[in-house]
PDB file of all heavy atoms in Angstrom:
ATOM      1  N   MET Z  44     -80.578  19.123 -19.111  1.00 96.00           N
ATOM      2  CA  MET Z  44     -81.439  20.244 -19.468  1.00 96.00           C
ATOM      3  C   MET Z  44     -82.368  20.511 -18.302  1.00 96.00           C
ATOM      4  O   MET Z  44     -82.823  19.582 -17.632  1.00 96.00           O
ATOM      5  CB  MET Z  44     -82.286  19.906 -20.700  1.00 96.00           C
ATOM      6  CG  MET Z  44     -81.485  19.497 -21.904  1.00 96.00           C
ATOM      7  SD  MET Z  44     -82.529  18.832 -23.221  1.00 96.00           S
ATOM      8  CE  MET Z  44     -83.572  20.230 -23.567  1.00 96.00           C
ATOM      9  N   THR Z  45     -82.659  21.793 -18.068  1.00 97.00           N
ATOM     10  CA  THR Z  45     -83.627  22.140 -17.036  1.00 97.00           C
ATOM     11  C   THR Z  45     -84.421  23.357 -17.504  1.00 97.00           C
ATOM     12  O   THR Z  45     -83.925  24.191 -18.244  1.00 97.00           O
ATOM     13  CB  THR Z  45     -82.954  22.401 -15.671  1.00 97.00           C
ATOM     14  OG1 THR Z  45     -83.947  22.532 -14.662  1.00 97.00           O
ATOM     15  CG2 THR Z  45     -82.065  23.620 -15.691  1.00 97.00           C
ATOM     16  N   GLY Z  46     -85.672  23.389 -17.083  1.00 96.00           N
ATOM     17  CA  GLY Z  46     -86.549  24.493 -17.455  1.00 96.00           C
ATOM     18  C   GLY Z  46     -87.999  24.104 -17.272  1.00 96.00           C
ATOM     19  O   GLY Z  46     -88.316  23.064 -16.690  1.00 96.00           O
ATOM     20  N   GLU Z  47     -88.879  24.936 -17.802  1.00 97.00           N
ATOM     21  CA  GLU Z  47     -90.305  24.696 -17.696  1.00 97.00           C
ATOM     22  C   GLU Z  47     -90.669  23.450 -18.511  1.00 97.00           C
ATOM     23  O   GLU Z  47     -90.126  23.224 -19.589  1.00 97.00           O
ATOM     24  CB  GLU Z  47     -91.048  25.939 -18.209  1.00 97.00           C
ATOM     25  CG  GLU Z  47     -92.499  26.023 -17.807  1.00 97.00           C
ATOM     26  CD  GLU Z  47     -93.399  25.236 -18.730  1.00 97.00           C
ATOM     27  OE1 GLU Z  47     -93.158  25.236 -19.951  1.00 97.00           O
ATOM     28  OE2 GLU Z  47     -94.332  24.597 -18.232  1.00 97.00           O
ATOM     29  N   PHE Z  48     -91.552  22.641 -17.979  1.00 97.00           N
ATOM     30  CA  PHE Z  48     -91.888  21.337 -18.554  1.00 97.00           C
ATOM     31  C   PHE Z  48     -92.162  21.405 -20.061  1.00 97.00           C
ATOM     32  O   PHE Z  48     -91.560  20.670 -20.840  1.00 97.00           O
ATOM     33  CB  PHE Z  48     -93.109  20.740 -17.832  1.00 97.00           C
ATOM     34  CG  PHE Z  48     -93.540  19.406 -18.372  1.00 97.00           C
ATOM     35  CD1 PHE Z  48     -92.979  18.237 -17.886  1.00 97.00           C
ATOM     36  CD2 PHE Z  48     -94.492  19.314 -19.366  1.00 97.00           C
ATOM     37  CE1 PHE Z  48     -93.368  16.996 -18.384  1.00 97.00           C
ATOM     38  CE2 PHE Z  48     -94.888  18.086 -19.882  1.00 97.00           C
ATOM     39  CZ  PHE Z  48     -94.318  16.929 -19.379  1.00 97.00           C
ATOM     40  N   ASP Z  49     -93.078  22.272 -20.472  1.00 97.00           N
ATOM     41  CA  ASP Z  49     -93.448  22.317 -21.890  1.00 97.00           C
ATOM     42  C   ASP Z  49     -92.275  22.744 -22.766  1.00 97.00           C
ATOM     43  O   ASP Z  49     -92.114  22.229 -23.875  1.00 97.00           O
ATOM     44  CB  ASP Z  49     -94.645  23.250 -22.112  1.00 97.00           C
ATOM     45  CG  ASP Z  49     -95.951  22.657 -21.595  1.00 97.00           C
ATOM     46  OD1 ASP Z  49     -96.062  21.410 -21.548  1.00 97.00           O
ATOM     47  OD2 ASP Z  49     -96.859  23.435 -21.244  1.00 97.00           O
ATOM     48  N   ALA Z  50     -91.461  23.656 -22.294  1.00 97.00           N
ATOM     49  CA  ALA Z  50     -90.310  24.127 -23.072  1.00 97.00           C
ATOM     50  C   ALA Z  50     -89.273  23.019 -23.237  1.00 97.00           C
ATOM     51  O   ALA Z  50     -88.763  22.790 -24.339  1.00 97.00           O
ATOM     52  CB  ALA Z  50     -89.677  25.344 -22.406  1.00 97.00           C
ATOM     53  N   VAL Z  51     -88.951  22.319 -22.158  1.00 97.00           N
ATOM     54  CA  VAL Z  51     -87.982  21.219 -22.228  1.00 97.00           C
ATOM     55  C   VAL Z  51     -88.490  20.117 -23.145  1.00 97.00           C
ATOM     56  O   VAL Z  51     -87.757  19.611 -24.004  1.00 97.00           O
ATOM     57  CB  VAL Z  51     -87.672  20.659 -20.814  1.00 97.00           C
ATOM     58  CG1 VAL Z  51     -86.825  19.396 -20.903  1.00 97.00           C
ATOM     59  CG2 VAL Z  51     -86.978  21.713 -19.959  1.00 97.00           C
ATOM     60  N   MET Z  52     -89.755  19.751 -22.997  1.00 97.00           N
ATOM     61  CA  MET Z  52     -90.312  18.680 -23.816  1.00 97.00           C
ATOM     62  C   MET Z  52     -90.367  19.083 -25.296  1.00 97.00           C
ATOM     63  O   MET Z  52     -90.134  18.245 -26.170  1.00 97.00           O
ATOM     64  CB  MET Z  52     -91.689  18.280 -23.305  1.00 97.00           C
ATOM     65  CG  MET Z  52     -91.660  17.686 -21.892  1.00 97.00           C
ATOM     66  SD  MET Z  52     -90.548  16.279 -21.714  1.00 97.00           S
ATOM     67  CE  MET Z  52     -91.436  15.047 -22.621  1.00 97.00           C
ATOM     68  N   ALA Z  53     -90.640  20.347 -25.587  1.00 97.00           N
ATOM     69  CA  ALA Z  53     -90.668  20.803 -26.977  1.00 97.00           C
ATOM     70  C   ALA Z  53     -89.274  20.718 -27.609  1.00 97.00           C
ATOM     71  O   ALA Z  53     -89.135  20.281 -28.751  1.00 97.00           O
ATOM     72  CB  ALA Z  53     -91.204  22.232 -27.050  1.00 97.00           C
ATOM     73  N   VAL Z  54     -88.257  21.112 -26.853  1.00 96.00           N
ATOM     74  CA  VAL Z  54     -86.882  21.030 -27.359  1.00 96.00           C
ATOM     75  C   VAL Z  54     -86.504  19.566 -27.589  1.00 96.00           C
ATOM     76  O   VAL Z  54     -85.938  19.217 -28.636  1.00 96.00           O
ATOM     77  CB  VAL Z  54     -85.899  21.713 -26.382  1.00 96.00           C
ATOM     78  CG1 VAL Z  54     -84.457  21.412 -26.756  1.00 96.00           C
ATOM     79  CG2 VAL Z  54     -86.139  23.216 -26.353  1.00 96.00           C
ATOM     80  N   LEU Z  55     -86.808  18.703 -26.634  1.00 96.00           N
ATOM     81  CA  LEU Z  55     -86.502  17.282 -26.782  1.00 96.00           C
ATOM     82  C   LEU Z  55     -87.227  16.668 -27.976  1.00 96.00           C
ATOM     83  O   LEU Z  55     -86.636  15.938 -28.771  1.00 96.00           O
ATOM     84  CB  LEU Z  55     -86.870  16.513 -25.519  1.00 96.00           C
ATOM     85  CG  LEU Z  55     -85.875  16.556 -24.383  1.00 96.00           C
ATOM     86  CD1 LEU Z  55     -86.445  15.856 -23.163  1.00 96.00           C
ATOM     87  CD2 LEU Z  55     -84.561  15.926 -24.798  1.00 96.00           C
ATOM     88  N   LYS Z  56     -88.508  16.963 -28.094  1.00 97.00           N
ATOM     89  CA  LYS Z  56     -89.294  16.401 -29.191  1.00 97.00           C
ATOM     90  C   LYS Z  56     -88.706  16.801 -30.538  1.00 97.00           C
ATOM     91  O   LYS Z  56     -88.511  15.956 -31.416  1.00 97.00           O
ATOM     92  CB  LYS Z  56     -90.746  16.878 -29.096  1.00 97.00           C
ATOM     93  CG  LYS Z  56     -91.615  16.401 -30.234  1.00 97.00           C
ATOM     94  CD  LYS Z  56     -93.017  16.971 -30.110  1.00 97.00           C
ATOM     95  CE  LYS Z  56     -93.849  16.572 -31.315  1.00 97.00           C
ATOM     96  NZ  LYS Z  56     -95.180  17.163 -31.278  1.00 97.00           N
ATOM     97  N   SER Z  57     -88.396  18.063 -30.685  1.00 95.00           N
ATOM     98  CA  SER Z  57     -87.835  18.558 -31.938  1.00 95.00           C
ATOM     99  C   SER Z  57     -86.486  17.913 -32.242  1.00 95.00           C
ATOM    100  O   SER Z  57     -86.222  17.490 -33.368  1.00 95.00           O
ATOM    101  CB  SER Z  57     -87.687  20.080 -31.863  1.00 95.00           C
ATOM    102  OG  SER Z  57     -87.036  20.570 -32.996  1.00 95.00           O
ATOM    103  N   GLU Z  58     -85.636  17.822 -31.237  1.00 95.00           N
ATOM    104  CA  GLU Z  58     -84.294  17.275 -31.442  1.00 95.00           C
ATOM    105  C   GLU Z  58     -84.325  15.777 -31.720  1.00 95.00           C
ATOM    106  O   GLU Z  58     -83.591  15.277 -32.577  1.00 95.00           O
ATOM    107  CB  GLU Z  58     -83.405  17.564 -30.240  1.00 95.00           C
ATOM    108  CG  GLU Z  58     -81.979  17.201 -30.482  1.00 95.00           C
ATOM    109  CD  GLU Z  58     -81.441  17.830 -31.767  1.00 95.00           C
ATOM    110  OE1 GLU Z  58     -81.670  19.011 -32.002  1.00 95.00           O
ATOM    111  OE2 GLU Z  58     -80.777  17.095 -32.544  1.00 95.00           O
ATOM    112  N   ILE Z  59     -85.147  15.053 -31.000  1.00 96.00           N
ATOM    113  CA  ILE Z  59     -85.260  13.610 -31.247  1.00 96.00           C
ATOM    114  C   ILE Z  59     -85.766  13.359 -32.664  1.00 96.00           C
ATOM    115  O   ILE Z  59     -85.225  12.526 -33.382  1.00 96.00           O
ATOM    116  CB  ILE Z  59     -86.160  12.940 -30.185  1.00 96.00           C
ATOM    117  CG1 ILE Z  59     -85.441  12.939 -28.827  1.00 96.00           C
ATOM    118  CG2 ILE Z  59     -86.524  11.520 -30.593  1.00 96.00           C
ATOM    119  CD1 ILE Z  59     -86.321  12.531 -27.659  1.00 96.00           C
ATOM    120  N   LEU Z  60     -86.780  14.105 -33.079  1.00 96.00           N
ATOM    121  CA  LEU Z  60     -87.317  13.943 -34.429  1.00 96.00           C
ATOM    122  C   LEU Z  60     -86.242  14.229 -35.474  1.00 96.00           C
ATOM    123  O   LEU Z  60     -86.034  13.431 -36.393  1.00 96.00           O
ATOM    124  CB  LEU Z  60     -88.515  14.855 -34.642  1.00 96.00           C
ATOM    125  CG  LEU Z  60     -89.118  14.832 -36.048  1.00 96.00           C
ATOM    126  CD1 LEU Z  60     -89.632  13.434 -36.394  1.00 96.00           C
ATOM    127  CD2 LEU Z  60     -90.223  15.867 -36.164  1.00 96.00           C
ATOM    128  N   GLN Z  61     -85.525  15.336 -35.335  1.00 96.00           N
ATOM    129  CA  GLN Z  61     -84.504  15.680 -36.320  1.00 96.00           C
ATOM    130  C   GLN Z  61     -83.401  14.631 -36.372  1.00 96.00           C
ATOM    131  O   GLN Z  61     -82.968  14.222 -37.441  1.00 96.00           O
ATOM    132  CB  GLN Z  61     -83.904  17.055 -36.028  1.00 96.00           C
ATOM    133  CG  GLN Z  61     -82.907  17.471 -37.089  1.00 96.00           C
ATOM    134  CD  GLN Z  61     -82.490  18.919 -36.975  1.00 96.00           C
ATOM    135  OE1 GLN Z  61     -83.086  19.693 -36.243  1.00 96.00           O
ATOM    136  NE2 GLN Z  61     -81.465  19.292 -37.706  1.00 96.00           N
ATOM    137  N   THR Z  62     -82.952  14.170 -35.212  1.00 95.00           N
ATOM    138  CA  THR Z  62     -81.892  13.160 -35.173  1.00 95.00           C
ATOM    139  C   THR Z  62     -82.362  11.857 -35.810  1.00 95.00           C
ATOM    140  O   THR Z  62     -81.632  11.231 -36.576  1.00 95.00           O
ATOM    141  CB  THR Z  62     -81.427  12.916 -33.727  1.00 95.00           C
ATOM    142  OG1 THR Z  62     -80.941  14.160 -33.187  1.00 95.00           O
ATOM    143  CG2 THR Z  62     -80.316  11.883 -33.668  1.00 95.00           C
ATOM    144  N   PHE Z  63     -83.583  11.437 -35.522  1.00 95.00           N
ATOM    145  CA  PHE Z  63     -84.115  10.214 -36.124  1.00 95.00           C
ATOM    146  C   PHE Z  63     -84.246  10.348 -37.645  1.00 95.00           C
ATOM    147  O   PHE Z  63     -84.012   9.391 -38.379  1.00 95.00           O
ATOM    148  CB  PHE Z  63     -85.463   9.854 -35.513  1.00 95.00           C
ATOM    149  CG  PHE Z  63     -85.380   9.205 -34.157  1.00 95.00           C
ATOM    150  CD1 PHE Z  63     -86.531   8.996 -33.422  1.00 95.00           C
ATOM    151  CD2 PHE Z  63     -84.171   8.808 -33.588  1.00 95.00           C
ATOM    152  CE1 PHE Z  63     -86.484   8.392 -32.173  1.00 95.00           C
ATOM    153  CE2 PHE Z  63     -84.109   8.217 -32.342  1.00 95.00           C
ATOM    154  CZ  PHE Z  63     -85.266   8.006 -31.635  1.00 95.00           C
ATOM    155  N   GLN Z  64     -84.614  11.531 -38.119  1.00 95.00           N
ATOM    156  CA  GLN Z  64     -84.750  11.733 -39.557  1.00 95.00           C
ATOM    157  C   GLN Z  64     -83.399  11.740 -40.255  1.00 95.00           C
ATOM    158  O   GLN Z  64     -83.299  11.328 -41.400  1.00 95.00           O
ATOM    159  CB  GLN Z  64     -85.493  13.036 -39.843  1.00 95.00           C
ATOM    160  CG  GLN Z  64     -86.961  12.959 -39.488  1.00 95.00           C
ATOM    161  CD  GLN Z  64     -87.663  14.288 -39.617  1.00 95.00           C
ATOM    162  OE1 GLN Z  64     -87.062  15.350 -39.492  1.00 95.00           O
ATOM    163  NE2 GLN Z  64     -88.971  14.240 -39.840  1.00 95.00           N
ATOM    164  N   GLU Z  65     -82.357  12.205 -39.577  1.00 93.00           N
ATOM    165  CA  GLU Z  65     -81.034  12.334 -40.187  1.00 93.00           C
ATOM    166  C   GLU Z  65     -80.140  11.120 -39.978  1.00 93.00           C
ATOM    167  O   GLU Z  65     -79.094  11.016 -40.604  1.00 93.00           O
ATOM    168  CB  GLU Z  65     -80.323  13.572 -39.631  1.00 93.00           C
ATOM    169  CG  GLU Z  65     -80.997  14.867 -40.012  1.00 93.00           C
ATOM    170  CD  GLU Z  65     -80.351  16.084 -39.379  1.00 93.00           C
ATOM    171  OE1 GLU Z  65     -79.423  15.925 -38.543  1.00 93.00           O
ATOM    172  OE2 GLU Z  65     -80.762  17.206 -39.710  1.00 93.00           O
ATOM    173  N   THR Z  66     -80.523  10.207 -39.086  1.00 93.00           N
ATOM    174  CA  THR Z  66     -79.682   9.075 -38.728  1.00 93.00           C
ATOM    175  C   THR Z  66     -80.460   7.786 -38.948  1.00 93.00           C
ATOM    176  O   THR Z  66     -81.621   7.687 -38.556  1.00 93.00           O
ATOM    177  CB  THR Z  66     -79.266   9.179 -37.234  1.00 93.00           C
ATOM    178  OG1 THR Z  66     -78.688  10.459 -37.015  1.00 93.00           O
ATOM    179  CG2 THR Z  66     -78.286   8.106 -36.859  1.00 93.00           C
ATOM    180  N   ASN Z  67     -79.805   6.817 -39.550  1.00 90.00           N
ATOM    181  CA  ASN Z  67     -80.466   5.554 -39.839  1.00 90.00           C
ATOM    182  C   ASN Z  67     -81.009   4.899 -38.568  1.00 90.00           C
ATOM    183  O   ASN Z  67     -82.159   4.511 -38.507  1.00 90.00           O
ATOM    184  CB  ASN Z  67     -79.502   4.614 -40.567  1.00 90.00           C
ATOM    185  CG  ASN Z  67     -80.176   3.362 -41.051  1.00 90.00           C
ATOM    186  OD1 ASN Z  67     -81.359   3.368 -41.360  1.00 90.00           O
ATOM    187  ND2 ASN Z  67     -79.426   2.284 -41.126  1.00 90.00           N
ATOM    188  N   LYS Z  68     -80.158   4.789 -37.544  1.00 95.00           N
ATOM    189  CA  LYS Z  68     -80.581   4.233 -36.254  1.00 95.00           C
ATOM    190  C   LYS Z  68     -79.882   4.998 -35.142  1.00 95.00           C
ATOM    191  O   LYS Z  68     -78.684   5.239 -35.208  1.00 95.00           O
ATOM    192  CB  LYS Z  68     -80.222   2.754 -36.148  1.00 95.00           C
ATOM    193  CG  LYS Z  68     -81.021   1.855 -37.039  1.00 95.00           C
ATOM    194  CD  LYS Z  68     -80.685   0.409 -36.801  1.00 95.00           C
ATOM    195  CE  LYS Z  68     -81.478  -0.471 -37.744  1.00 95.00           C
ATOM    196  NZ  LYS Z  68     -81.130  -1.878 -37.592  1.00 95.00           N
TER     197      LYS Z  68
END
Side-chain angles (χ1 to χ4, degrees):
M44 304 170 61
T45 189
E47 197 276 321
F48 179 88
D49 288 333
V51 172
M52 296 305 288
V54 169
L55 279 175
K56 177 183 176 183
S57 174
E58 188 52 46
I59 290 170
L60 177 61
Q61 184 169 348
T62 301
F63 282 171
Q64 289 173 333
E65 294 176 354
T66 307
N67 187 30
K68 290 184 182 177

